[in-house]
Structures are given as structure tokens and as C-alpha cells.
Amino acid sequence: KAGVTQTPRYLIKTRGQQVTLSCSPISGHRSVSWYQQTPGQGLQFLFEYFSETQRNKGNFPGRFSGRQFSNSRSEMNVSTLELGDSALYLCASSLFTLAGPNNEQFFGPGTRLTVL
Amino acid sequence: AQSVSQHNHHVILSEAASLELGCNYSYGGTVNLFWYVQYPGQHLQLLLKYFSGDPLVKGIKGFEAEFIKSKFSFNLRKPSVQWSDTAEYFCAVSRSNDYKLSFGAGTTVTVRA
């Protein structure tokens, strides 16, 4: 079974631009979560989508948004990029929503975003 | 707000030494507990998980963790480490009806040959 895939793997943008990252979950998984990983803040939860609905959102500004499609693939968008948005963005999928039992998550390799 | 604390930022060991990494969480309700590992250049992988039942959980690669509810702890152990265990280890917690996974800051483990 193929794992979680994320595209692109690396991205360089400049301040003020916007970016869209994509995540394809493991086949059959309906939950997709996004995390930001930085050396200073560690792994921080961005949001979870389940059945095309955002179930929860972390403490990030409204510039960070996402969506999920009917095939469970998810996209994350960051508008008006800032230098501090440079990070590894991880996507994780699970069979069930995070709020339920047995909510084991499988992580993708991440997208390394650099904002200049 | 729920928080997850990992006591050690960086641990350096020699091969065959025993490893114990501490993890404490602040939420008192029903929780699901995880340990993830990130090897250099690789993505996060699940080492082990606790949902319910036996509080002593065995995972992959000889790792185990013990859930002590009274201490809000989920410490990771390995009796004898190998050089290949060099990695960053993350404790993570989720709770019922909360749609997110909260991670600790991570512990970098360096095993010297």
C-alpha cells in the first residue's frame, strides 16, 4: 500500500507570495492533518480534515487555510508569506478522525518551504 | 490547554546502553498516546501507541513504553540501544473529542558506536 505522498517536496518562495501544498493520503484513509515543523517551535498542529470538513484548527493566523476533496486528497494554502513561515510542512493521514479511538496517523515526507 | 513535556532535549549514549525518555502530559481525561521517531533524512514513523488495555506497550525495534495514569506519564524505553537508534523521538497525545495531536518538543538521541 502506498504511503502518504506530498508535493512538492521543496519550494522556495518570496515574502508576500502565496503557496499551495498538496497531500495524498493512504488509500482508504479519510482524515488528513497538517503540521508545521520548525527547529524553534517543534511540531505544531495546523488543522484536520475529515470527510471534506475541517474538524479542528491550531493557533495559526487566517493566512493558513486548507481544504479536502471528495477523494480525501488535501491541499494547504498559505497566503501573504512571511519569513517565519519557512518550515517543514507535514501531512498525516488516518483511517478515522483524530477525535475517535484508534486514531493512528501516518506521516508523509513533508514539503520543505523556504521563504526569502 | 493540553501540553506534552519531554524532559530531555538531547541524550548521548554508547551502544548497548539502556535508554529511557520521559514524557508527561497535562490532560486528565481519556488520552491516546504515541511515540514517533524521525531518523535523519526520513519522515516520522510510529514506534508504538497506547489506546487502552495493558499499560506496558511494545513497539517496533525493541522499544516499549509504560503508561502510568497516576503520573500522567508515557515513558519510552529500550534495554540496549544500537547506533541505528540515532534519531529524534517525539511523544504525542490526543484525547477523545479533540481533533488534534499534540507533540512534545522532541528528544534527540545520539548513539555512539
Side-chain angles (χ1 to χ4, degrees):
Chain A
K1 202 181 235 187
V4 178
T5 58
Q6 292 186 245
T7 57
R9 293 293 309 279
Y10 302 92
L11 206 49
I12 299 175
K13 291 285 187 179
T14 56
R15 279 182 301 173
Q17 287 187 307
Q18 75 164 16
V19 66
T20 299
L21 312 181
S22 181
C23 171
S24 293
I26 291 172
S27 177
H29 284 194
R30 295 168 61 195
S31 167
V32 173
S33 297
W34 289 88
Y35 297 85
Q36 183 195 64
Q37 186 176 21
T38 59
Q41 300 296 321
L43 275 153
Q44 293 188 288
F45 172 81
L46 278 156
F47 27 65
E48 185 215 11
Y49 285 88
F50 182 79
S51 295
E52 302 177 65
T53 302
Q54 187 182 92
R55 295 301 183 101
N56 199 2
K57 187 173 182 183
N59 294 326
F60 281 84
R63 300 185 296 107
F64 291 81
S65 63
R67 58 178 176 169
Q68 187 180 33
F69 302 94
S70 58
N71 61 357
S72 294
R73 190 177 69 85
S74 177
E75 287 182 348
M76 189 191 87
N77 184 273
V78 188
S79 62
T80 319
L81 284 166
E82 300 177 359
L83 294 179
D85 297 333
S86 294
L88 181 66
Y89 290 89
L90 296 172
C91 167
S93 78
S94 60
L95 199 55
F96 307 108
T97 180
L98 287 183
N102 303 322
N103 54 0
E104 176 180 346
Q105 289 194 304
F106 297 83
F107 283 81
T111 295
R112 173 75 61 185
L113 173 64
T114 302
V115 182
L116 302 176
Chain B
Q2 180 177 349
S3 68
V4 183
S5 301
Q6 290 184 239
H7 310 308
N8 307 98
H9 180 64
H10 194 180
V11 173
I12 301 173
L13 299 163
S14 298
E15 277 193 308
S18 63
L19 172 70
E20 180 160 0
L21 302 181
C23 174
N24 285 90
Y25 60 93
S26 60
Y27 181 65
T30 301
V31 293
N32 296 326
L33 301 160
F34 308 83
W35 275 97
Y36 283 89
V37 61
Q38 191 170 33
Y39 297 104
Q42 297 187 27
H43 56 275
L44 276 168
Q45 302 172 40
L46 183 68
L47 267 181
L48 47 78
K49 60 193 177 191
Y50 173 81
F51 293 142
S52 63
D54 188 344
L56 185 60
V57 179
K58 294 194 183 299
I60 62 171
K61 306 187 179 187
F63 285 91
E64 64 178 32
E66 185 175 12
F67 170 48
I68 303 179
K69 191 173 182 179
S70 61
K71 295 184 178 180
F72 301 93
S73 70
F74 190 56
N75 293 351
L76 180 71
R77 298 193 290 254
K78 185 169 184 177
S80 176
V81 297
Q82 300 172 313
W83 177 81
S84 58
D85 292 323
T86 294
E88 191 160 14
Y89 294 80
F90 295 91
C91 179
V93 180
S94 70
R95 57 178 179 171
S96 298
N97 302 318
D98 190 11
Y99 301 89
K100 70 175 183 180
L101 196 59
S102 297
F103 282 86
T107 298
T108 301
V109 173
T110 301
V111 180
R112 291 180 172 160

